[in-house]
Amino acid sequence: MNSAQRSPARILVVATRQIGDVLVTTPLIRAIRHRWPDARIDVLGYEKTMGMLAGNPDINEVIESAEHPTFSQYMSLIRRCWRAYDLAFVTQISDRAHAYGLLFARARVGMVPASRRHSWWKRALALHSVQIDYMHQHALAEKLQLMTPFAQGDLFADGVAVVPPAAEALPPDLAHLCAQPLAVFHATPMWRYKRWPAANWVVLARELSARGFQVALTGSASAQDRQMNAEIAAGLKSSPIAGDSPLAPAAGDAGNGNGDGTGEGRLIDLSGRLSLAQVGTLLRSAQLFVGVDTSVTHLAAACGAPTVAIFGPTPPTNFGPWPQGAQSAQPYQLAAPVQQIANVALVQGQAPCVPCRKSGCDNHFDSRSDCLDQLAPARVLAACERMIAMRGEEVMAT
């Protein structure tokens, strides 16, 4: 090994992808910090995704780039970072990510696609490469394998944790949410094919409201997030707590506490009102989180919330939310009705094709996914009740 490999003084982590991908890069960043505690560690990523690294103690500086830079923005970034680093960890397979590693660091390791035709130069120019496997290898473990040439012992021996953003106080008018039984829903993935129908969220919100929970809907300020959450709120407003529901609680169970016969008073829509760090604060106080295959579900698991993850086409073996302290490179099975590991219960749609790893049944972002459309609320509610019971037992034990 050369001197850059033995003791790099300046290290760059290239994490130019979406929010969830950035979050699952944090165990790699922590492993780098443990291996080289005195090194400067910077992270290069897209400006709209770096909120996942807010307050991360393992990082010296975050360098933000536009997702689609102009020529002048490219030149500015190149001037800033040209050969400024001894070692780069390229955590994505894209040509641009590898070009950044090549331009900005004297040595590099990186993720590469399976096809050698499209990755020969990336492999040739790297000290070490890790080939991606979208079906059988977890993305977090793949990224952590970039440390293999430098590791001192088993990277998973003491458990691996995802590092969420540092806590940030909620707006004053929402601080009361943390003082009551709280269930947080994130029903709004970026793409249609990952959605669970709004009507099913209404059933789930109604049932948890009837058990005394305040339900909070998180989401971005985007029109599609606001619309999805508005549909859930409208459905709950017009839906009675008990009487016509096949899942209604037995007589004597807690009511909704607002006396109006609906769950409306126990639901609050937080679309666009919280930063990622504030969402993390909310999740740390929640007794339950329920979400689809999206970055906030990964954040919930990282914050220690009892997490119920609703999955369809995506293989959990590749991108299931990482259970706290998992000591295995692969905590999940490819397919099972429910998988419960530590603070995560992952519920999959049941069909012979699950998980297909396609963009829904029609293989485009706005496609339907029959496995999710047909996933009954009763199955998700059962997973929620198990997680609530486990949290109650943990509280009693302490």
Side-chain angles (χ1 to χ4, degrees):
M1 287 188 174
N2 60 34
S3 59
Q5 289 174 269
R6 287 196 301 270
S7 184
R10 295 174 62 88
I11 298 170
L12 179 67
V13 178
V14 182
T16 46
R17 206 159 178 222
Q18 300 306 317
I19 298 174
D21 300 274
V22 171
L23 184 62
V24 299
T25 304
T26 58
L28 168 64
I29 298 169
R30 172 141 295 181
I32 296 170
R33 174 59 69 198
H34 285 176
R35 179 64 181 85
W36 296 295
D38 299 323
R40 177 182 180 86
I41 302 172
D42 296 342
V43 179
L44 169 62
Y46 297 144
E47 55 195 358
K48 293 182 179 181
T49 68
M50 294 290 98
M52 275 296 191
L53 302 179
N56 188 301
D58 302 316
I59 298 171
N60 290 94
E61 185 178 0
V62 167
I63 302 170
E64 296 186 348
S65 168
E67 186 171 355
H68 304 288
T70 63
F71 178 77
S72 63
Q73 289 173 326
Y74 270 126
M75 295 309 297
S76 176
L77 182 62
I78 290 170
R79 284 193 295 269
R80 174 179 179 179
C81 298
W82 175 260
R83 285 295 191 263
Y85 298 92
D86 301 310
L87 180 61
F89 286 81
V90 183
T91 67
Q92 305 301 329
I93 65 171
S94 71
D95 291 352
R96 189 190 340 180
H98 278 265
Y100 285 154
L102 183 62
L103 293 172
F104 300 158
R106 295 171 177 81
R108 66 215 59 81
V109 297
M111 306 299 306
V112 296
S115 170
R116 290 186 175 270
R117 178 183 176 187
H118 297 97
S119 66
W120 65 268
W121 65 274
K122 299 170 185 176
R123 297 171 190 262
L125 295 172
L127 298 170
H128 168 65
S129 60
V130 176
Q131 182 174 303
I132 59 167
D133 180 343
Y134 288 122
M135 188 65 75
H136 301 289
Q137 191 166 245
H138 200 283
L140 183 151
E142 284 181 333
K143 298 180 195 306
L144 201 54
Q145 287 175 34
L146 292 174
M147 275 296 293
T148 299
F150 319 106
Q152 298 175 325
D154 183 355
L155 292 167
F156 291 88
D158 298 322
V160 172
V162 175
V163 182
E168 180 182 330
L170 296 177
D173 62 319
L174 299 178
H176 69 283
L177 292 176
C178 297
Q180 56 189 304
L182 176 65
V184 178
F185 289 1
H186 193 88
T188 56
M190 182 178 293
W191 308 118
R192 161 69 181 89
Y193 77 91
K194 295 183 177 183
R195 284 189 180 182
W196 195 44
N200 291 348
W201 288 104
V202 172
V203 173
L204 195 63
R206 182 179 67 223
E207 298 306 323
L208 291 173
S209 295
R211 289 155 173 78
F213 279 86
Q214 169 74 60
V215 177
L217 302 175
T218 56
S220 73
S222 70
Q224 66 176 16
D225 282 18
R226 290 184 184 278
Q227 180 180 351
M228 181 70 170
N229 284 349
E231 288 179 23
I232 296 169
L236 189 61
K237 183 176 181 179
S238 62
S239 177
I241 284 289
D244 68 347
S245 168
L247 304 179
D253 283 356
N256 67 332
N258 60 10
D260 64 0
T262 78
E264 182 187 9
R266 283 197 173 274
L267 183 140
I268 183 168
D269 183 356
L270 302 177
S271 301
R273 297 190 61 187
L274 303 178
S275 68
L276 281 171
Q278 288 173 323
V279 172
T281 298
L282 191 72
L283 292 169
R284 289 179 180 93
S285 68
Q287 282 70 48
L288 178 69
F289 170 85
V290 188
V292 288
D293 173 18
T294 190
S295 59
V296 177
T297 301
H298 291 270
L299 179 60
C303 288
T307 298
V308 176
I310 301 170
F311 266 53
T314 302
T317 43
N318 179 243
F319 216 66
W322 193 258
Q324 279 203 318
Q327 293 181 296
S328 167
Q330 183 49 271
Y332 290 105
Q333 301 175 51
L334 188 62
V338 181
Q339 300 182 61
Q340 187 161 333
I341 307 102
N343 65 315
V344 177
L346 190 142
V347 183
Q348 284 177 280
Q350 288 184 280
C353 54
V354 172
C356 63
R357 212 191 75 75
K358 292 167 38 179
S359 298
C361 297
D362 301 319
N363 204 22
H364 59 79
F365 290 150
D366 199 37
S367 168
R368 77 191 194 285
S369 289
D370 289 345
C371 57
L372 288 173
D373 291 345
Q374 297 169 10
L375 175 57
R379 285 188 55 212
V380 178
L381 180 63
C384 291
E385 291 179 328
R386 285 194 295 271
M387 297 303 283
I388 292 167
M390 284 182 59
R391 171 53 71 93
E393 291 170 1
E394 291 171 2
V395 171
M396 290 181 64
T398 57

